[in-house]
Structure formats: C-alpha cells, structure tokens
Amino acid sequence: MIKNICCIGAGYVGGPTMAVIAYKCPEIQVTVVDKNISRINAWNTKNFSNLPIYEPGLDEIVKRCRGKNLHFSEDLEENIKKADMIFISVNTPTKKYGIGAGKASDLKYVESCARQVANYATGHTIVIEKSTLPVRTAEAIKAILESSRNHIRQKGDSITFDVLSNPEFLAEGSAINDLINPERVLIGGEDEESINKLCNIYSRWVSKDKILKTNIWSSELAKLTANAFLAQRISSINSIGAICEATGADIREVAKAIGSDSRIGSKFLDAGPGFGGSCFKKDILNLVYLAEYFGLPEVAAFWNSVVSVNNWHQHRISRIITRKLFGSLSNKKIVILGFAFKANTNDTRESAAINISKDLLNERAFLHIHDPKVDPNQIAIELDMPQNDKDDSKVLSEEGCWYFVNDIYEAAKEADAILVTTEWELYSSLDWRKISKVMRKPSWVFDSRSILNSKEVKASGLNFWRIGDGYE
Ligand code: NAD
Ligand code: UGA
C-alpha cells in the first residue's frame, strides 16, 4: 500500500498532477518538494489566487487539500526518506553546451534528483519518471540508484528501488481537466508489482481500459512522439495557411474540409502564430538528436523541418505587419494582445509573442503589451528588455520599446495597429467601434488567432488581416 508520495519539482507538471492525486486519494500523503524556495513559498501562499501557476480549477483543489494530504516543502531529504513512491518531475531543458548542444535534453536536473533519491531513500521505493525524457534515460537512473543500493547493502541495510516511466500528457490551460479526465495514462516498466501499485492509484478515477502498460522504452518514446505528432500538425496547417493567403483560399475552410475525414480528425488544426510552450520545440529537438545519434539523418531532417517551419512562420507574421505599415515601424505604436503561449495559462515559455515582439522592437516599434495573467516582469525577462518607464505615446522612442497595459481601450489611443497573439476569450468581445475612434489612421488589426469577428472589425473602419485568409 502506498502511503507517502513525494514529487520532486513543483512546476507546471508537479504542482497540478500532485494536487489531483491528493484530491483523488485522500488517504495518501502527497508532498511536492522543490529546490526553489520562493516557488514553494508561493505554493504555500495564504491567497489562493497567488499560486505560482495559473490553471483553471487548480486553486480550488489546492484549497481543499493543502495542509491535509497535500504539502509543499523545501525539505527534500526528509520527504524522500519517508516516501514509498517518488515522482521525478523536474525540468529537462535543451542542452546549451557540449555534446548535443541545441538539441539534446539536459538531464542534469534528473540526474541530481536520482542522486538525492539514492542518498536518502529508505526501504523499497518506486521511482517514477514523470518528466519527458530521451529513450533509455531509465537506464541511467537505475544505474545511479543501483550504485547506492550496493553501497548501502555493504552497511547491512535493506534498500531497493524500481523505476517506472509515467509520462504526463496534460496541456497547460486545461491541466486540471486533462488530469481528472485523461484520454490515457501510460505506465512503462518491468516489475509487475510496482506497475500495479501505480495503476491502483490512477484507477481511483481513471477506468482501467485507459491505463496503458508498455515496456519502459516504448513509454519514454511514446511521450516524445506524441508531442512531435501534435507539433507537426501545427506546422502543417500553418504552412498551408501561407498558401491560402497567396491564393485566395481560407485556412479555416481547408481545415474543416480535411478535418472531417476521421483519418485526419479535426483537432489541432487551428492555424495560429506558431506553436509555443516549453515542450514542443525541446521535445522535437530531442527526437532529432536521438535520430542523429542512432545514425538516421533522414529521420532527423524530417522532424527538424517541423521546428524550422514554426520559426519561419513566426517571423513571417512580423514581416507581414511591417509591410502593411508601409515598411517601417519606427515611431509607430502597436498593441499586442496576449503574451502567454496560449490562453488560460500564465506561462510565456517559447510563446510566439516573444519572437514576433522582438522582430517588431527591432523595427523600432513602441509596443503596448496586454495579458490578463502574465506578470510584466516575466515579459521583461522574455524580451530581454526592461519596460519603458512611462506610457508616453507622443514622445516615442527612436529605439524600440515596450510598456505593459491593463486597459486595452486606453492603449488603443493613437495606436497604428493591434495584434492578437493569444486567444484569450476577452479579446473576442472588444468594442471595435470604440477602439477605431481612438486609433491613428490608417489603422490595422492583425488577428493571428482567428478569434475576432472580421465583419465587426471591418465595419468599424479598420483594416483587417487574419491568419491564413486569402479573401482579405
Ligand atoms: P518547471 O520548470 O515548471 O518545473 C520544474 C521544477 O523542478 C522547478 O521548479 C525546479 O526548481 C525544480 N527542480 C529542478 N531540479 C531540481 C532538483 N534537483 N531538486 C528539486 N527541485 C528541482 O517544469 P514543468 O513545465 O513542470 O516540466 C517538468 C517536466 O515535465 C519536463 O520534462 C517537461 O517536458 C514535462 N512536461 C511538461 C508539461 C507542461 O505542460 N509544462 C506537460 C507534460 C510534460
Ligand atoms: C502540449 C501537449 O498538448 C500536451 O499533451 C503535452 O503534455 C505538453 O505539450 C507537454 O509535453 O508539455 P501545451 O504545450 O501545454 O501541451 O499546449 P497545447 O495545447 O498543445 O499548445 C501548444 C502550442 O500549440 C500553443 O502555442 C498553441 O497555441 C498551439 N496550437 C495548438 C495551435 O497553434 N493550433 C492548434 O490547433 C493547437
């Protein structure tokens, strides 16, 4: 019987996943640990709307369970010691140095977790890979754990480990729903007893037919493959969107026509500003690295093209904006609606808004950036540029600069263009007549998410561009 779970890594995966396990399994004590003390403090905040991660429904679950069977702690040693089951849910960024730089996953955080588990674990511990990892990482984790086991055995203590792979498929913005109603749970491993123990946890709320059991390498590779396939659909639809714009076709109509074929399916066919988020790019690059490593250059080139089309597409959007605004953005004010990489999250990692904003800043635009959930300090980090200290649209900078705005109507005053980069619902119900009255003419609205009512925008006297729309 599992009584104590410890999760290392209190991020976008560790936090919500453990909150749901605690919520569904009240008799299990679940503790999420992290070396980042300020993150742990934020999880323990008194005000539940200040949790470090914004996900619809997350605050409610944390409110119900925190302090009862859900805990957030910086004490790794103590929590590893008492855990029967440990989830490793730390970040696995793209390696920036040495062999595989720019492609391979940097496994230093995973390795350091394995070493901490090896040092502190007691009795029998099931160690679970929750992070997304290259195929055969479990081998390295096992080797580290095994070496400590031999070491401790010499002292006469009994200490054993088993390693399972249980990748996470939640998407940000819908994490709680995805965790409570998953389409599948994947468990890869060798030891029947350990697999069943993990299976028993999920089966409290997931039907058994949705719990897939595989060998450990298939489980690791299936996670990378799932992300690669999803990202591939987005690059595919965005590439066809560019053809639509050139030919008079409409990507929404094309997507509907192809998506009606059940072999293709209708999901993940929304043309947009290019995929963002912390994982698609990093996971495909990891796949590219693996293919190269195993001597499969054609396979590597195929998957690499998914990432390069995405990069090209994001720069294509900023080029379109610059062209429509007479080839120069110097002394022009552009309102950016949305900085998160998708709606319903405060996560900005790899957001398309970053590349597009950087291009516009390079053209010396004055950006007024709005987002209902993203902290302006985070935007400054992503753009590698501090916020302008005042909102003075009359004294525009000769250099590009940006300013964070809370009031979209105020920001629209004297603006030359408005660009929708994130599909937040509030942007689809803006009063375009009111906005049009205060913008500088000729003014443009660029909708990279297809969420605006084009008729309304055009009827209010604004020029309108929409992704993949060849009618315009
Ligand atoms: P994150 O950066 O939000 O959180 C990771 C946390 O791990 C950080 O708070 C960091 O301080 C902590 N950490 C790192 N090393 C540590 C150590 N040795 N000891 C203690 N704490 C440590 O990352 P995330 O978005 O939660 O992603 C985690 C993993 O899950 C990645 O492999 C990612 O690919 C995968 N994943 C992410 C998502 C997602 O939606 N973000 C979805 C599925 C899978
Ligand atoms: C994605 C996967 O959907 C999850 O299954 C996976 O667990 C996760 O990556 C991960 O491993 O990190 P996430 O990145 O949170 O989840 O969000 P998605 O909904 O997949 O969106 C990714 C990007 O693609 C966003 O920028 C989104 O705007 C874009 N997108 C998505 C489109 O442009 N069009 C679409 O039709 C769908």
Side-chain angles (χ1 to χ4, degrees), residues 13 132 168-174 178 184 223 226-227 230 234 237-238 267-280 283 341-343 350-352 423 449:
V13 169
T132 303
E168 184 49 59
F169 295 101
L170 68 80
E172 289 180 29
S174 56
D178 295 343
R184 81 311 209 175
K223 171 62 197 176
N227 275 0
L230 290 170
I234 301 169
I237 203 72
N238 285 334
K267 292 184 180 164
F268 254 73
L269 286 181
D270 292 333
F275 58 78
S278 61
C279 297
F280 278 179
D283 292 348
F341 81 97
K342 62 187 278 197
E350 300 290 340
S351 174
E423 72 283 21
R449 290 285 187 174

Side-chain angles (χ1 to χ4, degrees), residues 66-180:
R66 200 181 69 191
K68 293 180 187 139
N69 70 326
L70 175 66
H71 314 278
F72 295 92
S73 166
E74 61 200 74
D75 189 346
L76 270 80
E77 180 173 343
E78 202 43 46
N79 286 294
I80 289 173
K81 263 184 195 158
K82 63 180 187 202
D84 318 297
M85 186 174 263
I86 296 177
F87 287 84
I88 297 182
S89 193
V90 298
N91 38 330
T92 48
T94 303
K95 203 175 166 200
K96 291 196 175 123
Y97 51 88
I99 298 172
K103 286 183 192 149
S105 281
D106 192 339
L107 296 179
K108 66 180 175 194
Y109 303 113
V110 173
E111 184 180 332
S112 118
C113 285
R115 289 185 191 280
Q116 279 160 313
V117 173
N119 278 343
Y120 305 130
T122 55
H124 181 68
T125 312
I126 301 173
V127 178
I128 298 169
E129 299 175 342
K130 189 48 118 176
S131 299
T132 303
L133 298 167
V135 203
R136 301 202 78 90
T137 303
E139 216 161 39
I141 295 178
K142 275 182 190 165
I144 292 169
L145 298 175
E146 201 58 32
S147 62
S148 102
R149 198 166 81 109
N150 290 340
H151 170 69
I152 293 169
R153 250 200 209 135
Q154 284 162 16
K155 294 194 291 182
D157 294 345
S158 160
I159 173 165
T160 50
F161 296 104
D162 195 39
V163 179
L164 301 179
S165 159
N166 171 224
E168 184 49 59
F169 295 101
L170 68 80
E172 289 180 29
S174 56
I176 298 301
N177 187 45
D178 295 343
L179 287 163
I180 291 180

Side-chain angles (χ1 to χ4, degrees), residues 2-7 18 21-22 25-32 65-71 79 82-85 201:
I2 300 296
K3 289 195 185 125
N4 288 296
I5 289 178
C6 171
C7 172
M18 293 304 123
I21 290 182
C25 309
E27 74 290 1
I28 300 180
Q29 289 295 318
V30 180
T31 306
V32 191
C65 305
R66 200 181 69 191
K68 293 180 187 139
N69 70 326
L70 175 66
H71 314 278
N79 286 294
K82 63 180 187 202
D84 318 297
M85 186 174 263
I201 291 177

Side-chain angles (χ1 to χ4, degrees), residues 391-404:
D391 167 22
D392 192 346
S393 49
K394 290 192 189 76
V395 193
L396 289 178
S397 162
E398 267 305 297
E399 302 289 308
C401 58
W402 70 277
Y403 187 75
F404 186 79

